[in-house]
Amino acid sequence: MYSFRNDYSECAHPRILEAIAESSLRQTCGYGLDPVCQEAAALIRKLCNTPDADVHFLTGGTQTNLLAAEALLKPYEAVIAAGTGHVNVHETGAIEATGHKVCTVPSPDGRLTPALIEPLLAAHSTEHMVAPRLVYISDTTELGTVYSKADLEALSRFCRQKNLLLYLDGARLGSALEASDLTLPDLTRLTDAFSIGGTKNGALFGEALVFSQPRPDFRWLMKRRGAMLAKGRLLGLQFQVLLEDGLYGELARHANRQALRLRDGLKALGLPAAVDSPSNQQFFILPNPLMEGLAGQGWEFETDHPAGASHTCVRFVTSWATPPAAVDGLLQAVSALLQPS
């Protein structure tokens, strides 16, 4: 059987492991000041078409999000997020632990829009409350949905009109870019900061945090939060391998293709999708006996929430390494379990 639980169950793409092994005995200075990290940062600035972008390499997504918020906000300012946002649901209050409240708004598809944010701003009108300032979005969202260029342009325009900052969590950015018309230059043009996720797209570990403008104080924050990796060149090297010849997009396209094959196959078997997702996360409503039957056979996936008394919303995630045969096998198993006994 195969695990569709997440997109980081595999270790790393072989080319990354080979590059690490090849460079293992090479000596460099530490803490991200080495030539490898400098070259990787220069590559990202080139791909973003933003010569002044400030690029930093971090180990994980939660660490990246909390440091971005801490760098961008004053002590009394708060984050605005969808109720399903990763910083609200899955980061154990990491941002709140820095002293910044996360203010949430309901969003049926996980995306934020100006219309959803406007009432929150109106409700925080005096100094007796936190001041909502940093709009947090993720692409893909926690529901697998993505932002189009028009979506992000509208949100960016609204943020600038309202003196808000815009941060995009790109833990699954590869999948989002391959499923939309957005590009890296669009992100530096339309956001104040964003991350490029490596952990969930073939890297051993690592995220690249990109500020559209220089942040000369950021390394002090990194050190204070335990985010400065002594062997920082391991991060830069991985992003070099992923980005220098298009491997990053290639891996994300594979994950998306397998997810869409799975989506179309489940729909053909009469199962409803919980949300219209073009990315490598697919949410479906399964009858409980089917869900239990699949789990009993050894197929792995996440149970998201009950969908009535007899059904459950489950999440299937494909990765850069998901073999087409695994998708075929899961669809065959679903088909067999749906047949009347």
Side-chain angles (χ1 to χ4, degrees):
M1 300 303 106
Y2 186 80
S3 176
F4 290 92
R5 188 179 296 278
N6 56 54
D7 40 13
Y8 45 90
S9 291
E10 297 87 4
C11 179
H13 191 276
R15 283 172 55 183
I16 286 177
L17 298 177
E18 290 165 5
I20 292 173
E22 189 276 330
S23 70
S24 184
L25 298 181
R26 192 179 311 151
Q27 293 182 314
T28 66
C29 59
Y31 304 107
L33 297 175
D34 57 275
V36 179
C37 285
Q38 291 173 4
E39 291 167 7
L43 175 60
I44 289 173
R45 286 191 287 269
K46 179 180 178 181
L47 292 173
C48 292
N49 194 27
T50 309
D52 293 332
D54 204 356
V55 180
H56 299 273
F57 299 105
L58 300 157
T59 57
T62 297
Q63 181 188 76
T64 302
N65 291 337
L66 76 87
L67 278 168
E70 191 169 30
L72 292 167
L73 293 177
K74 294 177 181 177
Y76 54 86
E77 292 177 331
V79 174
I80 303 166
T84 54
H86 203 270
V87 294
N88 182 52
V89 179
H90 290 126
E91 295 189 352
T92 322
I95 286 181
E96 283 91 346
T98 69
H100 299 288
K101 183 177 177 63
V102 177
C103 302
T104 63
V105 296
S107 170
D109 66 1
R111 291 181 291 191
L112 287 183
T113 65
L116 291 174
I117 297 171
E118 188 81 67
L120 180 69
L121 300 180
H124 290 74
S125 57
T126 76
E127 69 275 11
H128 298 284
M129 309 172 77
V130 294
R133 184 80 195 289
L134 180 64
V135 175
Y136 166 93
I137 62 174
S138 61
D139 205 15
T140 66
T141 71
E142 290 301 291
L143 300 182
T145 52
V146 301
Y147 288 84
S148 68
K149 186 181 295 189
D151 293 334
L152 196 60
E153 286 177 337
L155 193 55
S156 178
R157 186 164 52 249
F158 172 81
C159 288
R160 289 167 182 171
Q161 290 169 352
K162 300 294 184 179
N163 193 31
L164 301 173
L165 300 169
L166 181 57
Y167 169 66
L168 185 148
D169 174 352
R172 291 190 170 96
L173 186 62
S175 179
L177 293 180
E178 294 300 323
S180 73
D181 58 350
L182 279 172
T183 65
L184 287 175
D186 292 330
L187 297 187
T188 48
R189 176 173 62 89
L190 297 172
T191 74
D192 295 281
F194 67 94
S195 63
I196 304 173
T199 305
K200 296 175 179 176
N201 195 35
L204 189 62
F205 54 85
E207 316 292 304
L209 178 58
V210 183
F211 292 99
S212 299
Q213 300 293 328
R215 300 289 309 188
D217 60 342
F218 189 74
R219 284 179 58 81
W220 274 265
L221 283 175
M222 286 176 63
K223 184 64 177 182
R224 187 168 183 259
R225 291 292 178 185
M228 196 170 282
L229 188 65
K231 298 180 183 180
R233 61 104 174 264
L234 293 175
L235 293 165
L237 181 61
Q238 293 184 79
F239 278 94
Q240 270 192 323
V241 173
L242 287 171
L243 295 172
E244 63 188 355
D245 63 358
L247 180 62
Y248 191 76
E250 178 186 327
L251 299 182
R253 283 192 296 275
H254 174 83
N256 285 2
R257 279 196 300 267
Q258 300 314 310
L260 298 188
R261 289 183 63 239
L262 180 58
R263 179 196 67 184
D264 295 345
L266 292 174
K267 285 184 175 180
L269 291 170
L271 296 171
V275 64
D276 183 17
S277 166
S279 73
N280 74 319
Q281 296 183 88
Q282 296 294 324
F283 292 80
F284 272 79
I285 306 298
L286 303 188
N288 288 343
L290 172 59
M291 179 188 69
E292 294 160 1
L294 290 172
Q297 292 180 8
W299 298 99
E300 294 185 4
F301 44 85
E302 292 284 357
T303 56
D304 194 70
H305 63 270
S310 60
H311 290 70
T312 300
C313 177
V314 306
R315 185 187 75 160
F316 299 102
V317 186
T318 54
S319 83
W320 60 273
T322 299
V327 174
D328 296 337
L330 178 60
L331 292 173
Q332 290 165 10
V334 170
S335 179
L337 287 166
L338 286 174
Q339 299 301 318
S341 55

PDB file of all heavy atoms in Angstrom, residues 277-293:
ATOM      1  N   SER A 277     -10.011  21.760  -5.886  1.00  0.00           N
ATOM      2  CA  SER A 277      -8.575  21.991  -5.738  1.00  0.00           C
ATOM      3  C   SER A 277      -7.830  21.587  -7.001  1.00  0.00           C
ATOM      4  O   SER A 277      -7.968  20.457  -7.468  1.00  0.00           O
ATOM      5  CB  SER A 277      -8.023  21.186  -4.558  1.00  0.00           C
ATOM      6  OG  SER A 277      -6.611  21.141  -4.593  1.00  0.00           O
ATOM      7  N   PRO A 278      -6.984  22.493  -7.537  1.00  0.00           N
ATOM      8  CA  PRO A 278      -6.158  22.147  -8.695  1.00  0.00           C
ATOM      9  C   PRO A 278      -4.751  21.721  -8.309  1.00  0.00           C
ATOM     10  O   PRO A 278      -3.882  21.585  -9.174  1.00  0.00           O
ATOM     11  CB  PRO A 278      -6.112  23.474  -9.461  1.00  0.00           C
ATOM     12  CG  PRO A 278      -6.083  24.501  -8.379  1.00  0.00           C
ATOM     13  CD  PRO A 278      -6.902  23.936  -7.240  1.00  0.00           C
ATOM     14  N   SER A 279      -4.525  21.511  -7.017  1.00  0.00           N
ATOM     15  CA  SER A 279      -3.165  21.311  -6.522  1.00  0.00           C
ATOM     16  C   SER A 279      -2.955  19.883  -6.035  1.00  0.00           C
ATOM     17  O   SER A 279      -3.786  18.999  -6.259  1.00  0.00           O
ATOM     18  CB  SER A 279      -2.894  22.292  -5.381  1.00  0.00           C
ATOM     19  OG  SER A 279      -3.589  21.892  -4.203  1.00  0.00           O
ATOM     20  N   ASN A 280      -1.869  19.655  -5.330  1.00  0.00           N
ATOM     21  CA  ASN A 280      -1.539  18.292  -4.894  1.00  0.00           C
ATOM     22  C   ASN A 280      -2.248  17.877  -3.609  1.00  0.00           C
ATOM     23  O   ASN A 280      -2.000  16.788  -3.100  1.00  0.00           O
ATOM     24  CB  ASN A 280      -0.020  18.136  -4.732  1.00  0.00           C
ATOM     25  CG  ASN A 280       0.524  18.837  -3.503  1.00  0.00           C
ATOM     26  OD1 ASN A 280       0.111  19.955  -3.175  1.00  0.00           O
ATOM     27  ND2 ASN A 280       1.464  18.204  -2.825  1.00  0.00           N
ATOM     28  N   GLN A 281      -3.121  18.709  -3.076  1.00  0.00           N
ATOM     29  CA  GLN A 281      -3.983  18.327  -1.962  1.00  0.00           C
ATOM     30  C   GLN A 281      -5.413  18.157  -2.477  1.00  0.00           C
ATOM     31  O   GLN A 281      -5.963  19.091  -3.070  1.00  0.00           O
ATOM     32  CB  GLN A 281      -3.987  19.400  -0.874  1.00  0.00           C
ATOM     33  CG  GLN A 281      -2.662  19.631  -0.191  1.00  0.00           C
ATOM     34  CD  GLN A 281      -2.819  20.654   0.915  1.00  0.00           C
ATOM     35  OE1 GLN A 281      -3.133  20.336   2.052  1.00  0.00           O
ATOM     36  NE2 GLN A 281      -2.613  21.921   0.571  1.00  0.00           N
ATOM     37  N   GLN A 282      -5.981  16.992  -2.226  1.00  0.00           N
ATOM     38  CA  GLN A 282      -7.335  16.709  -2.666  1.00  0.00           C
ATOM     39  C   GLN A 282      -8.186  16.272  -1.476  1.00  0.00           C
ATOM     40  O   GLN A 282      -7.800  15.373  -0.726  1.00  0.00           O
ATOM     41  CB  GLN A 282      -7.335  15.623  -3.744  1.00  0.00           C
ATOM     42  CG  GLN A 282      -6.625  16.025  -5.023  1.00  0.00           C
ATOM     43  CD  GLN A 282      -7.341  17.154  -5.759  1.00  0.00           C
ATOM     44  OE1 GLN A 282      -8.581  17.216  -5.777  1.00  0.00           O
ATOM     45  NE2 GLN A 282      -6.574  18.046  -6.368  1.00  0.00           N
ATOM     46  N   PHE A 283      -9.338  16.924  -1.308  1.00  0.00           N
ATOM     47  CA  PHE A 283     -10.246  16.632  -0.209  1.00  0.00           C
ATOM     48  C   PHE A 283     -11.522  16.003  -0.768  1.00  0.00           C
ATOM     49  O   PHE A 283     -12.163  16.590  -1.651  1.00  0.00           O
ATOM     50  CB  PHE A 283     -10.591  17.909   0.557  1.00  0.00           C
ATOM     51  CG  PHE A 283      -9.430  18.505   1.309  1.00  0.00           C
ATOM     52  CD1 PHE A 283      -8.478  19.272   0.653  1.00  0.00           C
ATOM     53  CD2 PHE A 283      -9.291  18.303   2.681  1.00  0.00           C
ATOM     54  CE1 PHE A 283      -7.403  19.827   1.342  1.00  0.00           C
ATOM     55  CE2 PHE A 283      -8.223  18.854   3.384  1.00  0.00           C
ATOM     56  CZ  PHE A 283      -7.283  19.609   2.714  1.00  0.00           C
ATOM     57  N   PHE A 284     -11.871  14.838  -0.250  1.00  0.00           N
ATOM     58  CA  PHE A 284     -13.062  14.128  -0.729  1.00  0.00           C
ATOM     59  C   PHE A 284     -13.917  13.665   0.448  1.00  0.00           C
ATOM     60  O   PHE A 284     -13.408  13.391   1.543  1.00  0.00           O
ATOM     61  CB  PHE A 284     -12.660  12.925  -1.593  1.00  0.00           C
ATOM     62  CG  PHE A 284     -12.492  13.280  -3.045  1.00  0.00           C
ATOM     63  CD1 PHE A 284     -11.338  13.908  -3.492  1.00  0.00           C
ATOM     64  CD2 PHE A 284     -13.500  13.024  -3.961  1.00  0.00           C
ATOM     65  CE1 PHE A 284     -11.185  14.255  -4.820  1.00  0.00           C
ATOM     66  CE2 PHE A 284     -13.363  13.374  -5.289  1.00  0.00           C
ATOM     67  CZ  PHE A 284     -12.201  13.987  -5.726  1.00  0.00           C
ATOM     68  N   ILE A 285     -15.216  13.584   0.178  1.00  0.00           N
ATOM     69  CA  ILE A 285     -16.167  13.086   1.168  1.00  0.00           C
ATOM     70  C   ILE A 285     -16.366  11.592   0.912  1.00  0.00           C
ATOM     71  O   ILE A 285     -16.879  11.199  -0.140  1.00  0.00           O
ATOM     72  CB  ILE A 285     -17.525  13.819   1.074  1.00  0.00           C
ATOM     73  CG1 ILE A 285     -17.315  15.332   1.167  1.00  0.00           C
ATOM     74  CG2 ILE A 285     -18.464  13.317   2.154  1.00  0.00           C
ATOM     75  CD1 ILE A 285     -16.721  15.815   2.450  1.00  0.00           C
ATOM     76  N   LEU A 286     -15.955  10.777   1.879  1.00  0.00           N
ATOM     77  CA  LEU A 286     -16.058   9.329   1.730  1.00  0.00           C
ATOM     78  C   LEU A 286     -17.072   8.750   2.710  1.00  0.00           C
ATOM     79  O   LEU A 286     -17.142   9.190   3.868  1.00  0.00           O
ATOM     80  CB  LEU A 286     -14.710   8.653   1.999  1.00  0.00           C
ATOM     81  CG  LEU A 286     -13.492   9.076   1.171  1.00  0.00           C
ATOM     82  CD1 LEU A 286     -12.322   8.141   1.484  1.00  0.00           C
ATOM     83  CD2 LEU A 286     -13.794   9.096  -0.307  1.00  0.00           C
ATOM     84  N   PRO A 287     -17.850   7.772   2.283  1.00  0.00           N
ATOM     85  CA  PRO A 287     -18.656   7.028   3.256  1.00  0.00           C
ATOM     86  C   PRO A 287     -17.724   6.373   4.277  1.00  0.00           C
ATOM     87  O   PRO A 287     -16.641   5.886   3.924  1.00  0.00           O
ATOM     88  CB  PRO A 287     -19.378   5.974   2.399  1.00  0.00           C
ATOM     89  CG  PRO A 287     -19.250   6.448   0.989  1.00  0.00           C
ATOM     90  CD  PRO A 287     -17.994   7.245   0.909  1.00  0.00           C
ATOM     91  N   ASN A 288     -18.136   6.353   5.517  1.00  0.00           N
ATOM     92  CA  ASN A 288     -17.260   5.809   6.563  1.00  0.00           C
ATOM     93  C   ASN A 288     -16.832   4.365   6.302  1.00  0.00           C
ATOM     94  O   ASN A 288     -15.668   4.017   6.549  1.00  0.00           O
ATOM     95  CB  ASN A 288     -17.924   5.940   7.925  1.00  0.00           C
ATOM     96  CG  ASN A 288     -17.944   7.395   8.401  1.00  0.00           C
ATOM     97  OD1 ASN A 288     -17.212   8.244   7.876  1.00  0.00           O
ATOM     98  ND2 ASN A 288     -18.779   7.690   9.371  1.00  0.00           N
ATOM     99  N   PRO A 289     -17.710   3.486   5.800  1.00  0.00           N
ATOM    100  CA  PRO A 289     -17.240   2.122   5.516  1.00  0.00           C
ATOM    101  C   PRO A 289     -16.119   2.086   4.470  1.00  0.00           C
ATOM    102  O   PRO A 289     -15.204   1.272   4.576  1.00  0.00           O
ATOM    103  CB  PRO A 289     -18.503   1.415   5.011  1.00  0.00           C
ATOM    104  CG  PRO A 289     -19.629   2.167   5.655  1.00  0.00           C
ATOM    105  CD  PRO A 289     -19.183   3.588   5.649  1.00  0.00           C
ATOM    106  N   LEU A 290     -16.196   2.972   3.466  1.00  0.00           N
ATOM    107  CA  LEU A 290     -15.132   3.033   2.459  1.00  0.00           C
ATOM    108  C   LEU A 290     -13.833   3.521   3.099  1.00  0.00           C
ATOM    109  O   LEU A 290     -12.757   2.944   2.858  1.00  0.00           O
ATOM    110  CB  LEU A 290     -15.548   3.959   1.319  1.00  0.00           C
ATOM    111  CG  LEU A 290     -14.472   4.277   0.272  1.00  0.00           C
ATOM    112  CD1 LEU A 290     -13.956   3.000  -0.396  1.00  0.00           C
ATOM    113  CD2 LEU A 290     -15.008   5.257  -0.775  1.00  0.00           C
ATOM    114  N   MET A 291     -13.923   4.575   3.890  1.00  0.00           N
ATOM    115  CA  MET A 291     -12.730   5.097   4.558  1.00  0.00           C
ATOM    116  C   MET A 291     -12.092   4.030   5.438  1.00  0.00           C
ATOM    117  O   MET A 291     -10.869   3.821   5.411  1.00  0.00           O
ATOM    118  CB  MET A 291     -13.107   6.314   5.403  1.00  0.00           C
ATOM    119  CG  MET A 291     -11.946   6.929   6.178  1.00  0.00           C
ATOM    120  SD  MET A 291     -12.476   8.219   7.325  1.00  0.00           S
ATOM    121  CE  MET A 291     -13.380   7.233   8.538  1.00  0.00           C
ATOM    122  N   GLU A 292     -12.917   3.334   6.193  1.00  0.00           N
ATOM    123  CA  GLU A 292     -12.393   2.302   7.090  1.00  0.00           C
ATOM    124  C   GLU A 292     -11.819   1.124   6.312  1.00  0.00           C
ATOM    125  O   GLU A 292     -10.808   0.531   6.705  1.00  0.00           O
ATOM    126  CB  GLU A 292     -13.505   1.846   8.032  1.00  0.00           C
ATOM    127  CG  GLU A 292     -13.943   2.951   9.001  1.00  0.00           C
ATOM    128  CD  GLU A 292     -15.314   2.711   9.595  1.00  0.00           C
ATOM    129  OE1 GLU A 292     -15.941   1.663   9.267  1.00  0.00           O
ATOM    130  OE2 GLU A 292     -15.785   3.576  10.356  1.00  0.00           O
ATOM    131  N   GLY A 293     -12.449   0.814   5.175  1.00  0.00           N
ATOM    132  CA  GLY A 293     -11.935  -0.278   4.349  1.00  0.00           C
ATOM    133  C   GLY A 293     -10.567   0.032   3.771  1.00  0.00           C
ATOM    134  O   GLY A 293      -9.674  -0.813   3.763  1.00  0.00           O
TER     135      GLY A 293
END
